[in-house]
């Protein structure tokens, strides 16, 4: 039953005998109609709360797309083309740049993830990967060999959770002539480990040559910052 019908029924009950309308003011008439319409039988077919919420959501969504299509050249078709172009651009950037680099120090960035091993162990593993053409793994193991060797020579303090970037920065202070090469090796390690990049043989050979050169380099003992008191 509609609201109009309910109001009519309410007014009908207020009629006197002989169908002569009772002369009443507007406010009492409205109150009487509201009491009549509050009867549950008038609301049996009303939508429930979930249905009303869904109706409002779809109305809002329709208005949103209507406004967007109205502001976009070509209407709805133009909006679809723009959305597809944006999705294609995101996919192209992801393919070109690879997985975003994680910031140094983030959980899981530790240089050593498989327990303590010697520098010789890491060099052996690197050579094995290189002979099989697995350049990513070869780069990783050779970088680990560099850091472990520096720890074994007491040029680096053994520290769990150290990243390749941190090791390169710390080692560069006692081996300044190789500071740039150490940073480059750490960047290569990060690229193949966290950045989704693929190493090649020249990249591995650069890290290997750095490892050999570091073995022959004597550290700079005076590593005090410039301007620091003697």
């Amino acid at each position: 039953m509609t609201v109009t019908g309910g109001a009519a029924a309410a007014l009908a009950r207020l009629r006197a005998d002989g169908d002569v309308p009772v002369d009443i003011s507007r406010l009492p008439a409205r109150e009487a109609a509201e009491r009549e319409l509050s009867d549950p039988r008038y609301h049996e077919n009303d939508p429930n709360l979930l249905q009303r919420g869904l109706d409002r959501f779809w109305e809002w969504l329709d208005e949103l797309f209507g406004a967007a299509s109205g502001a976009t050249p070509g209407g709805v078709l133009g909006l679809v083309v723009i959305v597809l172009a944006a999705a294609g651009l995101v996919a192209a950037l992801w393919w070109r740049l690879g997985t975003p680099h994680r910031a140094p120090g983030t959980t899981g960035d530790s240089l050593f993830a498989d327990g303590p091993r010697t520098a010789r162990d890491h060099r052996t593993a690197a050579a094995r990967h290189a002979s099989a053409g697995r350049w990513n793994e070869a780069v990783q193991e050779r970088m680990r060999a560099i850091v472990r060797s520096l720890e074994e020579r007491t040029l680096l303090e053994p520290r769990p959770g150290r990243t390749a970037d941190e090791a390169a920065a710390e080692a560069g202070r006692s081996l300044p002539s190789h500071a740039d090469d150490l940073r480059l090796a750490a960047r290569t390690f990060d690229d193949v480990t966290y950045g989704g990049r693929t190493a090649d043989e020249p990249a591995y050979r650069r890290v290997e040559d750095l490892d050999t050169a570091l073995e022959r380099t004597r550290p700079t003992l005076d590593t005090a910052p410039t301007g620091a008191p003697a």
Side-chain angles (χ1 to χ4, degrees):
M1 182 180 295
T2 64
V3 173
T4 303
L11 291 176
R13 294 187 178 187
L14 297 175
R15 293 180 184 274
D17 293 339
D19 291 335
V20 178
V22 177
D23 187 10
I24 59 176
S25 62
R26 179 177 300 177
L27 183 58
R30 189 177 71 177
E31 292 176 348
E34 289 176 350
R35 285 195 300 270
E36 177 66 21
L37 293 176
S38 65
D39 193 315
R41 69 174 180 271
Y42 294 123
H43 303 281
E44 292 176 352
N45 297 321
D46 288 353
N48 58 34
L49 181 61
L50 177 60
Q51 290 173 328
R52 291 197 298 272
L54 288 175
D55 290 341
R56 292 294 300 274
F57 171 76
W58 290 119
E59 289 174 4
W60 171 81
L61 199 62
D62 183 62
E63 292 174 0
L64 178 65
F65 275 96
S69 62
T72 305
V76 176
L77 180 59
L79 180 62
V80 172
V81 171
I82 291 175
V83 171
L84 291 177
L89 178 61
V90 171
L93 288 174
W94 188 276
W95 178 82
R96 176 66 180 85
L97 300 178
T99 305
H101 288 233
R102 292 183 289 179
T106 302
T107 301
D109 280 355
S110 175
L111 183 63
F112 300 100
D114 55 355
R117 297 167 64 191
T118 66
R120 176 177 295 181
D121 292 336
H122 288 295
R123 290 189 183 108
T124 300
R128 185 171 61 252
H129 288 306
S131 64
R134 297 188 293 268
W135 303 115
N136 280 16
E137 293 84 351
V139 165
Q140 291 170 327
E141 289 298 329
R142 203 74 193 200
M143 185 63 196
R144 289 169 180 144
I146 289 175
V147 176
R148 186 65 79 205
S149 175
L150 294 174
E151 291 177 348
E152 291 171 354
R153 295 169 63 190
T154 69
L155 299 180
L156 284 178
E157 184 73 21
R159 178 162 56 84
R162 176 187 277 123
T163 67
D165 291 324
E166 292 169 345
E170 294 170 19
R173 289 193 285 269
S174 57
L175 299 164
S177 62
H178 295 290
D180 291 339
D181 292 333
L182 282 164
R183 284 194 294 269
L184 179 59
R187 174 63 59 84
T188 303
F189 177 90
D190 288 344
D191 284 345
V192 303
T193 305
Y194 312 122
R197 304 295 179 85
T198 300
D200 53 15
E201 183 175 2
Y204 169 71
R205 298 303 175 192
R206 284 193 296 269
V207 182
E208 181 185 42
D209 291 343
L210 174 62
D211 185 21
T212 302
L214 290 174
E215 286 289 291
R216 300 171 181 170
T217 303
R218 297 182 62 184
T220 300
L221 299 181
D222 184 10
T223 59
T226 302

